[in-house]
């Protein structure tokens, strides 16, 4: 079986490190406003690019800069600045949908990947964009049968990109799905003058709406109140079929998600892909992976359009269906390298032996572990409370910027 590249989202350095620590083959990220998560609180700056490249290069991980929004004339100067910086620091490729970005990247000799916003759905479109790009993200509305037909034609007709390699196909593997056709939506623009196609989606489709017949006043009875909020895509339970479709890159959604989301999802899909290669991918493992994926942010799971099943599965609640949540406890205070002991200052709630904790930070990433022993104010106690100083044995280094959380069960209303 051919190796599939596992592509992770990175919205900040915590998530980037979480992706690197959990087996990502590549990461994708945006810089400031010209990406499809421009309004996300987590976005890198131009000055972050050298550090991103440094960390990823050290691990042999490919780097993809997303420049996939609609571009206006006043954006062109910043586009060229970003592309020049990407070339300077040695990023692997640019993900783009606007021809101005594609052309500018090619002029600089940068590898280009075609964004899903272009809606590549057939082999002739693949041939056209092969003049500019080496990788294409297919439209999210395709079934695996349609995906496989395209990959087989690429092989049969030897369709190659500018690099001289056969064009590679990327598909979405896990994460949020939009009600719009591959992200092309005007609902946020019409409602709030905030364009989704400029990375500024307000996600007002995720809200509860009542549908009324204006002529009669009849209010429609709906089986599900969140009729425009799809469940999240999950392919881990039919990953063998996804691999059989001939794809080369599996993309995980989530640049707006927390670092523990990136860590958990990438870890599960890394294990699943490795199991496929080793020939021991089975139902028992799938059940365990699904239980892990349910612990972090999700709107419930479905298979998208890949299997040609009934279309449209909608979330039952406005937010997450995660079975666990994190509660802020405190922050890093000191690390003792000789003994591998971390010291934390407890600023909220309490922590006890037996609790599962999460430590996050720009260099630490997202590390989860169970507390088996600790000292509270230099005394052996089983519980620490607000104001206490706690030391815990760790197998990783902590920093002053790190935050300490406790993982607790999350009760979700059906």
């Amino acid at each position: 079986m051919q190796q599939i590249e596992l592509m992770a989202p990175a919205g900040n350095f915590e998530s980037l490190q979480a992706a690197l620590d959990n087996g990502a083959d590549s990461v994708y990220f945006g810089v400031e406003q010209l990406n499809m998560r421009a309004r996300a609180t987590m976005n890198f700056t131009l000055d972050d690019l050298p550090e991103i490249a440094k960390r990823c290069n050290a691990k042999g991980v490919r780097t993809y800069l997303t420049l996939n929004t609609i571009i206006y004339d006043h954006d062109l100067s910043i586009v060229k600045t970003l592309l020049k910086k990407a070339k300077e620091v040695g990023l692997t490729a640019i993900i783009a949908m606007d021809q101005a970005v594609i052309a500018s990247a090619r002029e600089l000799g940068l590898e280009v990947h075609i964004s899903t916003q272009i809606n590549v759905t057939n082999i002739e479109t693949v041939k056209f964009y092969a003049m500019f790009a080496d990788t294409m993200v297919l439209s999210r509305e395709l079934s695996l049968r349609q995906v496989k037909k395209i990959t087989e034609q690429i092989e049969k007709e030897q369709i190659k990109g500018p690099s001289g390699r056969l064009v590679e196909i990327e598909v979405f593997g896990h994460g949020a799905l939009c009600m719009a056709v591959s992200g092309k939506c005007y609902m946020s623009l019409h409602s709030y003058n905030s364009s989704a196609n400029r990375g500024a989606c307000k996600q007002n489709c995720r809200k509860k709406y009542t549908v009324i017949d204006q002529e009669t006043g009849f209010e429609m009875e709906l089986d599900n109140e969140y009729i425009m909020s799809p469940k999240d895509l999950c392919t881990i339970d039919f990953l063998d079929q996804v691999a059989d479709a001939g794809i080369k890159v599996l993309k995980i959604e989530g640049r707006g998600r927390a670092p523990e989301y990136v860590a958990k999802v990438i870890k599960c899909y890394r294990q699943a892909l490795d199991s496929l290669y080793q020939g021991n991918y089975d139902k028992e493992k799938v059940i365990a992976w699904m239980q892990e994926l349910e612990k972090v942010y999700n709107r419930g799971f479905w298979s998208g359009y890949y299997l040609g099943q009934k279309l449209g599965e909608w979330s039952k609640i406005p937010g997450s269906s995660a079975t666990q949540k994190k509660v802020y406890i405190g922050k890093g205070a000191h690390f003792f390298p000789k003994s591998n002991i971390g010291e934390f200052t407890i600023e909220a709630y309490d922590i006890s032996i037996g609790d599962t904790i999460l430590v996050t930070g720009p260099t630490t990433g997202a590390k989860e572990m169970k507390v088996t022993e600790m000292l509270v104010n230099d005394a052996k106690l089983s519980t620490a409370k607000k104001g206490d100083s706690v030391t815990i044995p760790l197998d990783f280094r902590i920093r002053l910027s790190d935050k300490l959380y406790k993982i607790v069960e999350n009760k979700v209303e059906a």
Side-chain angles (χ1 to χ4, degrees), residues 236-395:
I236 206 162
D237 57 337
F238 58 97
L239 203 55
D240 51 345
Q241 296 179 62
V242 176
D244 185 59
I247 62 125
K248 295 293 179 67
V249 185
L250 188 75
K251 177 185 178 182
I252 306 300
E253 267 283 4
R255 272 181 293 152
R257 296 280 173 255
E260 65 270 18
Y261 173 93
V262 176
K264 184 78 71 179
V265 176
I266 294 301
K267 184 176 182 179
C268 287
Y269 276 86
R270 177 76 278 153
Q271 291 174 354
L273 286 171
D274 289 348
S275 289
L276 277 179
Y277 308 144
Q278 294 160 9
N280 54 21
Y281 172 88
D282 59 33
K283 187 175 180 180
E284 188 175 327
K285 287 189 175 69
V286 167
I287 292 172
W289 291 321
M290 290 293 290
Q291 289 173 344
E292 287 298 300
L293 293 172
E294 287 170 353
K295 291 178 180 178
V296 291
Y297 192 102
N298 70 86
R299 296 184 179 91
F301 297 128
W302 73 303
S303 59
Y305 302 99
Y306 287 137
L307 302 180
Q309 298 172 344
K310 180 185 70 145
L311 301 185
E313 290 194 23
W314 314 108
S315 60
K316 291 180 169 34
I317 59 174
S320 176
S321 297
T323 59
Q324 293 183 343
K325 64 180 180 180
K326 64 181 181 182
V327 177
Y328 178 74
I329 300 295
K331 62 183 180 182
H334 190 69
F335 182 73
F336 302 90
K338 290 184 178 179
S339 54
N340 286 329
I341 299 284
E343 180 182 348
F344 298 90
T345 301
I346 305 301
E347 296 185 329
Y349 302 103
D350 59 82
I351 183 175
S352 301
I353 289 177
D355 285 343
T356 298
I357 60 171
L358 171 72
V359 182
T360 68
T363 308
T364 304
K367 298 289 196 301
E368 188 176 308
M369 60 170 284
K370 182 162 283 192
V371 179
T372 57
E373 58 178 307
M374 65 180 182
L375 291 179
V376 182
N377 302 322
D378 295 325
K380 276 196 172 184
L381 298 176
S382 59
T383 299
K385 297 181 179 179
K386 182 178 178 180
D388 288 338
S389 175
V390 176
T391 52
I392 304 171
L394 304 171
D395 61 0

Side-chain angles (χ1 to χ4, degrees), residues 2-59:
Q2 66 177 12
Q3 296 281 320
I4 293 174
E5 179 182 312
L6 179 58
M7 182 179 175
N12 57 19
F13 279 113
E14 285 91 337
S15 295
L16 175 68
Q17 194 61 45
L20 297 177
D21 289 342
N22 286 278
D25 297 308
S26 60
V27 293
Y28 67 101
F29 46 88
V31 172
E32 296 166 359
Q33 72 265 42
L34 295 180
N35 69 91
M36 293 303 285
R37 293 296 181 274
R39 278 192 180 271
T41 56
M42 300 190 291
N43 257 322
F44 291 105
T45 67
L46 191 65
D47 293 336
D48 290 329
L49 291 183
E51 177 65 15
I52 295 170
K54 178 183 175 182
R55 289 198 199 185
C56 293
N57 289 340
K59 290 255 189 176

Side-chain angles (χ1 to χ4, degrees), residues 62 92 111 113 130 133-135 154 158-168:
R62 291 163 65 87
T92 307
E111 183 177 319
H113 293 185
D134 290 289
T135 300
I154 290 172
Q158 290 292 291
I159 301 170
K160 298 178 180 179
S163 67
R165 305 188 306 268
L166 288 178
V167 167
E168 295 186 344

Side-chain angles (χ1 to χ4, degrees), residues 73-85:
D73 280 324
H74 66 264
D75 298 318
L76 293 176
S77 60
I78 191 171
V79 165
K80 291 182 179 179
T81 299
L82 284 170
L83 291 175
K84 286 178 182 176
K85 190 68 174 180

